[in-house]
Amino acid sequence: MRAQKEETLKEDTLAVRISRTLAERIIAGEIEPGTRLRQDHIAGEFGASHVPVREAFRRLEAQGLAVSEPRKGVRVASFELSEVREVAEMRAALEVLALRHAAPHLTHAVLDEAEEATKAGDASRDVRSWEAANRRFHRLILEPCGMPRLLASIDDLHAASARFLFAAWRSDWEARTDHDHRAILAALRKGDTEAACATLARHVQWIGHRPVSAAGGRQRKAFAIVG
Amino acid sequence: MRAQKEETLKEDTLAVRISRTLAERIIAGEIEPGTRLRQDHIAGEFGASHVPVREAFRRLEAQGLAVSEPRKGVRVASFELSEVREVAEMRAALEVLALRHAAPHLTHAVLDEAEEATKAGDASRDVRSWEAANRRFHRLILEPCGMPRLLASIDDLHAASARFLFAAWRSDWEARTDHDHRAILAALRKGDTEAACATLARHVQWIGHRPVSAAGGRQRKAFAIVG
DNA sequence: AAATCACGAATTATCTATAATTATGAAGGA
DNA sequence: TCCTTCATAATTATAGATAATTCGTGATTT
């Protein structure tokens, strides 16, 4: 997720491609939290050896999508409400910082593109495309800050957010219109950076509550960042 | 640096030990920024194979201490003034967030320990021990926030900060007394979290300017975070 | 003559295959 | 029931093979 292209370029190393594929699966919720990732099996599936798989694991670990214990292997990172909140608050802090630096460099073209992304989000009929549009919006208004390390951290946090989002809204999903996104854009157009930052901070920390049908038919409470 | 113990436990995997050693060298400035890290050489030095070395590289990459290009190997991360500032601002944003959550859980014992760390910093006669004391101070007042992901990110940023610090003050060093640390502690003792956060934010962003004698005898400008 | 390009050797990164060390789980005995 | 012992599986590390990149050398062109 750190420098994502949609297609898997063959220029990338095998380890990178494997880690990207696994990251997608974890984020999409295809692999349950806590599941052991066995390098031999994964190596077999990708028709590769287990060395690149191990490197992919280190990558996932750095992203916070997997945790590894020294000689006991790696598992898909579990997440609880406390972790959802943690990610949300870190995103709020870092995205506000990024926006403050990006604001002076925001052009009309970028803001228009961001508005397009918002519309695309409103028009989307499934969670995945909504999440993609949402991510595009945030990226667009933050990228001009020109702080690569900060943007990389935010990307990782977005991946974690998306994981929570998909976990909560996997089965049922209703389209939402993004008032916050529009408010942020309006403030930015007026040159009111502080108002934009304040809205962004609140927006990211918005936590949705929804009952979700878990595997097994019974209902369980689920939570997700929705910003 | 993510879960650092001073001694290299043999419980850790080889890759972890190698990455720790390399991280220390990079932070201490023993390896110049931009230097290529050749896996065969490093493997030879550690009497190991190149596979654990590769894993160590992925670790360093995640910490921001090294950068790797697909089939061209990995180099020690370079740093410029812009990156120093970036790290400082990220630290300010994240440490303030951590302190805000830690404040309600701060005990007298912890604050006293933090004061001890400050005194140790004042008394230290070299940069390394000052940095260690400084890091201890920050860790002590932030750890009670109970947000592991946040603390891990802050640790990585501290490592980067230390790198800048050592680069600037490697040759000459004069002891400094930390008024800011005391101000933060005083505010926390009074229960004034906001004042503590404000001071912390300013404190971390303090950027020092100092001429430093570079290799080759000639002077060059150097910068460092000093908080 | 200087610069550019092409080619080839050497170095280096990447991956596969295999071995050894360590954890896990089951069976047997106190 | 609990502990020990042995068997199996999985992680970790090594050694060897392949493919890519870099760098030096020489030829060609401006």
Side-chain angles (χ1 to χ4, degrees):
Chain A
M1 272 295 168
R2 185 154 279 188
Q4 65 274 54
K5 280 280 180 84
E6 286 308 318
E7 338 96 59
T8 48
L9 286 342
K10 78 155 186 290
E11 300 172 14
D12 287 316
T13 178
L14 228 182
V16 173
R17 277 181 289 172
I18 292 175
S19 85
R20 264 213 287 271
T21 308
L22 290 177
E24 283 172 20
R25 285 187 200 166
I26 295 172
I27 293 168
E30 293 172 25
I31 320 178
E32 286 286 313
T35 307
R36 285 189 65 172
L37 296 175
R38 280 175 295 236
Q39 52 186 359
D40 286 349
H41 296 198
I42 294 171
E45 183 197 326
F46 284 88
S49 175
H50 53 249
V51 176
V53 175
R54 289 180 64 75
E55 286 186 45
F57 285 172
R58 297 287 93 82
R59 231 159 219 286
L60 295 173
E61 210 183 335
Q63 285 192 301
L65 294 175
V67 291
S68 101
E69 284 182 282
R71 304 193 165 259
K72 303 173 73 177
V74 2
R75 315 179 83 91
V76 175
S78 68
F79 61 84
E80 296 158 28
L81 180 55
S82 64
E83 303 183 53
V84 182
R85 269 206 290 260
E86 190 175 352
V87 168
E89 301 206 35
M90 287 178 72
R91 267 189 61 195
L94 292 183
E95 290 204 23
V96 164
L97 172 59
L99 184 57
R100 214 162 254 143
H101 281 83
H105 306 106
L106 284 173
T107 62
H108 288 289
V110 171
L111 290 174
D112 290 348
E113 255 194 279
E115 188 159 356
E116 285 305 313
T118 303
K119 284 180 189 163
D122 294 345
S124 57
R125 303 191 57 79
D126 59 298
V127 210
R128 273 196 88 112
S129 56
W130 182 85
E131 191 275 329
N134 182 64
R135 184 150 38 90
R136 200 159 62 245
F137 172 86
H138 285 261
R139 252 247 163 234
L140 277 166
I141 64 169
L142 300 181
E143 196 146 38
C145 73
M147 298 162 88
R149 181 168 193 150
L150 176 57
L151 288 171
S153 288
I154 292 174
D155 274 351
D156 286 348
L157 292 170
H158 263 278
S161 293
R163 197 155 104 88
F164 305 142
L165 179 69
F166 293 149
W169 268 272
R170 204 179 324 173
S171 38
D172 58 334
W173 158 258
E174 53 191 41
R176 316 186 317 105
T177 55
D178 255 310
H179 304 294
D180 284 348
H181 282 193
R182 289 186 213 290
I184 291 167
L185 287 178
L188 288 173
R189 283 193 217 276
K190 279 198 304 182
D192 191 349
T193 305
E194 280 314 307
C197 286
T199 309
L200 177 65
R202 250 189 304 107
H203 168 65
V204 170
Q205 293 198 50
W206 198 89
I207 307 230
H209 304 243
R210 283 193 143 242
V212 135
S213 61
R218 67 178 179 287
Q219 297 281 99
R220 66 172 167 86
K221 280 258 180 177
F223 307 86
I225 303 164
V226 185
Chain B
M1 273 296 170
R2 184 155 283 184
Q4 65 274 52
K5 280 282 178 80
E6 286 308 319
E7 337 97 56
T8 49
L9 286 341
K10 80 156 184 290
E11 299 172 14
D12 287 316
T13 179
L14 229 181
V16 174
R17 277 180 289 172
I18 294 175
S19 84
R20 263 214 287 272
T21 308
L22 290 178
E24 283 171 19
R25 286 187 201 167
I26 294 173
I27 293 168
E30 293 172 24
I31 320 178
E32 287 285 312
T35 307
R36 287 188 64 172
L37 296 175
R38 280 172 297 229
Q39 54 184 7
D40 286 349
H41 295 200
I42 294 171
E45 183 196 328
F46 284 86
S49 173
H50 49 251
V51 176
V53 175
R54 290 181 63 75
E55 286 187 46
F57 285 172
R58 297 287 93 82
R59 242 159 204 288
L60 295 173
E61 210 183 335
Q63 284 191 301
L65 293 176
V67 292
S68 99
E69 285 181 281
R71 302 195 161 255
K72 301 170 77 175
V74 1
R75 318 177 79 92
V76 175
S78 67
F79 61 84
E80 296 157 29
L81 180 55
S82 64
E83 302 183 55
V84 181
R85 270 206 291 258
E86 191 174 352
V87 169
E89 301 205 33
M90 288 179 70
R91 269 190 59 194
L94 293 184
E95 291 204 23
V96 164
L97 172 60
L99 183 56
R100 214 162 254 144
H101 281 84
H105 306 106
L106 285 174
T107 63
H108 288 290
V110 171
L111 291 175
D112 290 348
E113 255 194 279
E115 189 158 355
E116 284 305 312
T118 303
K119 283 180 190 161
D122 294 346
S124 56
R125 304 191 56 78
D126 59 297
V127 209
R128 276 196 87 115
S129 57
W130 183 85
E131 191 275 331
N134 182 64
R135 183 148 40 88
R136 198 158 64 246
F137 172 85
H138 285 261
R139 252 249 163 233
L140 277 166
I141 63 169
L142 300 181
E143 197 146 38
C145 73
M147 299 162 88
R149 181 167 192 151
L150 176 57
L151 287 172
S153 288
I154 292 174
D155 273 352
D156 286 348
L157 293 171
H158 263 279
S161 292
R163 198 155 101 89
F164 304 144
L165 180 70
F166 293 149
W169 269 273
R170 202 178 326 172
S171 40
D172 57 337
W173 158 259
E174 54 190 42
R176 317 189 315 105
T177 55
D178 254 310
H179 304 295
D180 284 347
H181 282 194
R182 292 187 208 290
I184 292 168
L185 287 177
L188 288 173
R189 284 194 215 275
K190 279 198 303 180
D192 189 349
T193 305
E194 281 313 308
C197 287
T199 309
L200 177 64
R202 252 189 302 108
H203 168 66
V204 171
Q205 292 198 49
W206 199 91
I207 306 228
H209 303 245
R210 278 191 147 245
V212 135
S213 60
R218 67 179 178 287
Q219 297 282 98
R220 68 173 165 84
K221 279 258 179 177
F223 307 86
I225 305 163
V226 184

